[in-house]
C-alpha cells in the first residue's frame, strides 16, 4: 500500500491546480472564443476531462466498496464479542486477536483512509490545463456576450433563457454563467451591466440549486447584488436586498453589518466614491447607424440606378461564363456577386485554413506593427496566391470580377469568427500612415470579400456612412473601392463586421493594391 506521508490531500491539489490555471500568464494563449473552428477542440478536451472524472469516481467506488465490505466483517466480530464479553475475552485466541487488531489493523486503516484518491486524475488535469481556456478567455467571452446584447438591443433576461434576437433556442444559462458575467463586468467597473446579470443569478437561485462542489450560497449572491447596487448609488434598493437576505439569515453578522453600513449611507446622503461606468448605448434610446445596420433596420435603397445583371464585360472569360452581379452602391462603387464559390471549394478553403488559424491583428500606427486588439475578434490564416490550384483559381476569379491586376496585392486571408466575433468600424486603406506599407505597391484601392457560410443571426458587413448592410450569403462576394477616381481616400467606405449572434461566419478577403492598376483604373483629375 502506498504511503501518503508526503502527499497533499487530493482536494487541496485540485484547488491548487485550478488556481494555477486561473492565474496563468496570458502570453501564448490560444484565444479560444474568437473562432468557432478553434472551439471545436474544446469539446474533445471536455470529453477527456469527463472521462478523467469518471475514472476518479471508479476509484472512489472501489475504495468505498472495500470499506463497506470490511465494515460488515469487522462489525460481525465486534458484535459477537460484545454479546458475550467475558466468555469472548476469556479465550486466549480471541484476546490475542483483539490486541493485534487494535495495534496493527487500525493503523493500516488509518493509512488507507489517509491515502488520497484521485492523484492520477489531478495529474491528468495538470497535463491538459495548458489547452484549457484561461481567465482571459472567460473575460473575452463575457465581453462578447455583452457586445451582442448592446449591439442588438437584447434583454439580459431573454439571453439567459435562450431567446436571442427574437428566436428561442433550446439552451439557457446557469446560475454559474450569469454570476460569472456579473463578476467580470463588475471587475471592469461596468456596474450597470453587472447589476442586470447578478439580478438574473438571484432569480435563478430561487428556482434552481447547485450541487457540490459548485454550489454558491444565496447570501453570497445577494451580498454581491447589494454591492453592485451601491456602486450605482442605488442605496435604498441595496438595503432591500440585504433585508431579504436577513429574512432567511437573521443572525448573519456580515449581513447585519452591511445593513448598518447602508442605513448610515442613506441617513448621511453618502454615495459610492467610484464613478459609474455606463455603456454609451445605455445613455440614449436611439441606436447608432452602426447598430441599426447590424439589426437590419436600414431602409432599402430607392435608387433606380441600382440593379442586377450578368457581368459579361469585365474580362474576356466572362463572355463565356458571366457572373451574377448586383449593383449595391455607386458612391463608393460597390457590387455583390452571387454564386461565385462552389460547396466543394468552400469546404477545401475551410480545411486549408483550420489548422493554421491564428488570432487576427490590426496595424497600429503608434507602434508601427500589427497587434491583437479588442475591436477585432476572429482568427485568420494567410495563403500566397500560388499556394494551391484553388488559390490560383480564386485569384483568377477576383481578376474576372474586378478587372484588376493582382500583382503586388496582398495574400488571401481566410477568417473564422467565434463567440460574438466582430470587427469594429474601420477603413481598409492605410492613407499613407506608414510609407513603408504603401511605398512599393500603393494603397488598398479595393476590397474583395468572399462569404463562405450563411450566418443564422448577425454577422452583417455594415457601411454606416452610406447606410448599407450586406448579410452573409454562402458563395457570394462583396467588392468595393476604397479610393476615389483621383486616388484620394474615400471616407464613405467606413465599415464594420457586426457581432455574430448565432452561427459560424467564414470569410475570405483580398486587398488589392493600386500601383499595378495604372492602366486598369487610371487616376483621374478631381472633379471641381
Amino acid at each position: 500500500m502506498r504511503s501518503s506521508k508526503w502527499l497533499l490531500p487530493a482536494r487541496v491539489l485540485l484547488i491548487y491546480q485550478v488556481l494555477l490555471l486561473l492565474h496563468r500568464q496570458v502570453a501564448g494563449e490560444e484565444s479560444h472564443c474568437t473562432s468557432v473552428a478553434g472551439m471545436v477542440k474544446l469539446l474533445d478536451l471536455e470529453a477527456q476531462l469527463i472521462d478523467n472524472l469518471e475514472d476518479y469516481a471508479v476509484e472512489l467506488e472501489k475504495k468505498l466498496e472495500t470499506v463497506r465490505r470490511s465494515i460488515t466483517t469487522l462489525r460481525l466480530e465486534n458484535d459477537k464479542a460484545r454479546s458475550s464479553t467475558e466468555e469472548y475475552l476469556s479465550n486466549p485466541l480471541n484476546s490475542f486477536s483483539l490486541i493485534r487488531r487494535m495495534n496493527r489493523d487500525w493503523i493500516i486503516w488509518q493509512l488507507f483512509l489517509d491515502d488520497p484518491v484521485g492523484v492520477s486524475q489531478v495529474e491528468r488535469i495538470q497535463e491538459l490545463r495548458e489547452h484549457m481556456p484561461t481567465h482571459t478567455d472567460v473575460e473575452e467571452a463575457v465581453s462578447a456576450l455583452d457586445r451582442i446584447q448592446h449591439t442588438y438591443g437584447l434583454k439580459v433576461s431573454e439571453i439567459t433563457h435562450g431567446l436571442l434576437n427574437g428566436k428561442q433556442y433550446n439552451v439557457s444559462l446557469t446560475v454559474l454563467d450569469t454570476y460569472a458575467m456579473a463578476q467580470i463586468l463588475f471587475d471592469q467597473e461596468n456596474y450597470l451591466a453587472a447589476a442586470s446579470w447578478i439580478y438574473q443569478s438571484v432569480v435563478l437561485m430561487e428556482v434552481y440549486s447547485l450541487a457540490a462542489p459548485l454550489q454558491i450560497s444565496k447570501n453570497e449572491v445577494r451580498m454581491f447584488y447589494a454591492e453592485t447596487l451601491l456602486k450605482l448609488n442605488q442605496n435604498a434598493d441595496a438595503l432591500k436586498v440585504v433585508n431579504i437576505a436577513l429574512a432567511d439569515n437573521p443572525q448573519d453578522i456580515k449581513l447585519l453589518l452591511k445593513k448598518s453600513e447602508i442605513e448610515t449611507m442613506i441617513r448621511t446622503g453618502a454615495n459610492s466614491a467610484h464613478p459609474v461606468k455606463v455603456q454609451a448605448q445605455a445613455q440614449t434610446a436611439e441606436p447608432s447607424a452602426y447598430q441599426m445596420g447590424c439589426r437590419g433596420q436600414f431602409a432599402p435603397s430607392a435608387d433606380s440606378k441600382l440593379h442586377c445583371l450578368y457581368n459579361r464585360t469585365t474580362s474576356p472569360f466572362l463572355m463565356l461564363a458571366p457572373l451574377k452581379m448586383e449593383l449595391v452602391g455607386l458612391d463608393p462603387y460597390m457590387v455583390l456577386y452571387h454564386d461565385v464559390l462552389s460547396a466543394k471549394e468552400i469546404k477545401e478553403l475551410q480545411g486549408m485554413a483550420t489548422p493554421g488559424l491564428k488570432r487576427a491583428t490590426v496595424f497600429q500606427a503608434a507602434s508601427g506593427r500589427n497587434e491583437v486588439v479588442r475591436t477585432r475578434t476572429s482568427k485568420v490564416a494567410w495563403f500566397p496566391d500560388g499556394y494551391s490550384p484553388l488559390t490560383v483559381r480564386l485569384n483568377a476569379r477576383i481578376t474576372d470580377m474586378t478587372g484588376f491586376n493582382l500583382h503586388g496585392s496582398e495574400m488571401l486571408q481566410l477568417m473564422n469568427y467565434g463567440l460574438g466575433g466582430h470587427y469594429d468600424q474601420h477603413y481598409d486603406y492605410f492613407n499613407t500612415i506608414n510609407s513603408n506599407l504603401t511605398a512599393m505597391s500603393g494603397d488598398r484601392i479595393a476590397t474583395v470579400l468572399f462569404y463562405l457560410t450563411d450566418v443564422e443571426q448577425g454577422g452583417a458587413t455594415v457601411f454606416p456612412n452610406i447606410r448599407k448592410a450586406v448579410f452573409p450569403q454562402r458563395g457570394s462576394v462583396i467588392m468595393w473601392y476604397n479610393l476615389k477616381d483621383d486616388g484620394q481616400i474615400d471616407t464613405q467606405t467606413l465599415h464594420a463586421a457586426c457581432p455574430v449572434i448565432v452561427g459560424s461566419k467564414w470569410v475570405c478577403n483580398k486587398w488589392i493594391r493600386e500601383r499595378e492598376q495604372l492602366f486598369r483604373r487610371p487616376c483621374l483629375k478631381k472633379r471641381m
Side-chain angles (χ1 to χ4, degrees), residues 170-358:
N170 187 28
V171 63
S172 59
L173 297 179
T174 67
V175 173
L176 293 175
D177 295 326
T178 56
Y179 194 50
M181 286 288 299
Q183 285 177 312
I184 291 176
L185 288 167
F186 184 94
D187 290 341
Q188 295 172 351
E189 299 183 1
N190 190 349
Y191 303 123
L192 192 64
S196 297
W197 285 102
I198 194 63
Y199 176 73
Q200 290 305 311
S201 300
V202 172
V203 171
L204 290 173
M205 289 203 75
E206 295 300 322
V207 182
Y208 305 102
S209 58
L210 294 170
L214 300 176
Q215 74 272 30
I216 50 177
S217 70
K218 286 184 179 180
N219 271 7
E220 179 184 342
V221 175
R222 287 166 174 166
M223 280 284 282
F224 183 38
Y225 188 28
E227 288 290 350
T228 306
L229 292 172
L230 289 175
K231 293 292 186 183
L232 294 169
N233 295 323
Q234 298 178 16
N235 299 346
D237 291 333
L239 182 59
K240 289 179 184 178
V241 172
V242 172
N243 283 332
I244 292 172
L246 279 169
D248 292 337
N249 304 273
Q251 305 303 319
D252 189 297
I253 188 65
K254 289 184 178 179
L255 288 172
L256 290 170
L257 289 172
K258 180 56 66 176
K259 178 181 180 180
S260 176
E261 176 191 337
I262 297 172
E263 287 174 336
T264 301
M265 292 176 70
I266 294 174
R267 190 167 55 253
T268 60
N271 285 321
S272 170
H274 298 275
V276 179
K277 180 180 179 181
V278 180
Q279 292 282 358
Q281 292 90 336
Q283 295 174 343
T284 175
E286 294 297 323
S288 65
Y290 161 71
Q291 290 172 311
M292 289 180 65
C294 290
R295 299 174 190 181
Q297 295 176 346
F298 286 154
S301 176
D303 190 343
S304 60
K305 295 179 181 178
L306 303 180
H307 58 281
C308 297
L309 69 155
Y310 278 98
N311 183 351
R312 295 183 171 89
T313 60
T314 308
S315 75
F317 178 74
L318 294 188
M319 296 178 66
L320 299 174
L323 289 170
K324 300 174 186 177
M325 188 179 89
E326 178 182 343
L327 196 56
V328 177
L330 297 174
D331 184 21
Y333 180 72
M334 186 180 300
V335 294
L336 182 66
Y337 286 96
H338 297 275
D339 302 326
V340 175
L341 291 171
S342 69
K344 182 179 178 182
E345 289 173 325
I346 289 171
K347 185 176 180 180
E348 184 177 342
L349 286 170
Q350 291 173 325
M352 283 167 42
T354 299
L357 287 171
K358 301 294 182 184

Side-chain angles (χ1 to χ4, degrees), residues 369-389:
R369 60 175 182 268
N370 291 318
E371 297 177 0
V372 170
V373 294
R374 292 182 179 273
T375 55
R376 187 184 189 189
T377 53
S378 61
K379 287 188 175 181
V380 305
W382 296 85
F383 294 95
D385 294 353
Y387 178 82
S388 71

Side-chain angles (χ1 to χ4, degrees), residues 89 92 115 178 197 275 281 310 371 389 415-416 450 457 514:
L89 293 176
D115 191 25
T178 56
W197 285 102
Q281 292 90 336
Y310 278 98
E371 297 177 0
M415 285 176 284
N416 181 227
F450 293 81
Q457 289 205 73
E514 64 179 321

Side-chain angles (χ1 to χ4, degrees), residues 493-511:
T493 61
L494 179 72
H495 62 286
C498 297
V500 174
I501 303 177
V502 178
S504 178
K505 179 183 176 182
W506 280 88
V507 298
C508 173
N509 79 285
K510 180 84 169 183
W511 285 305

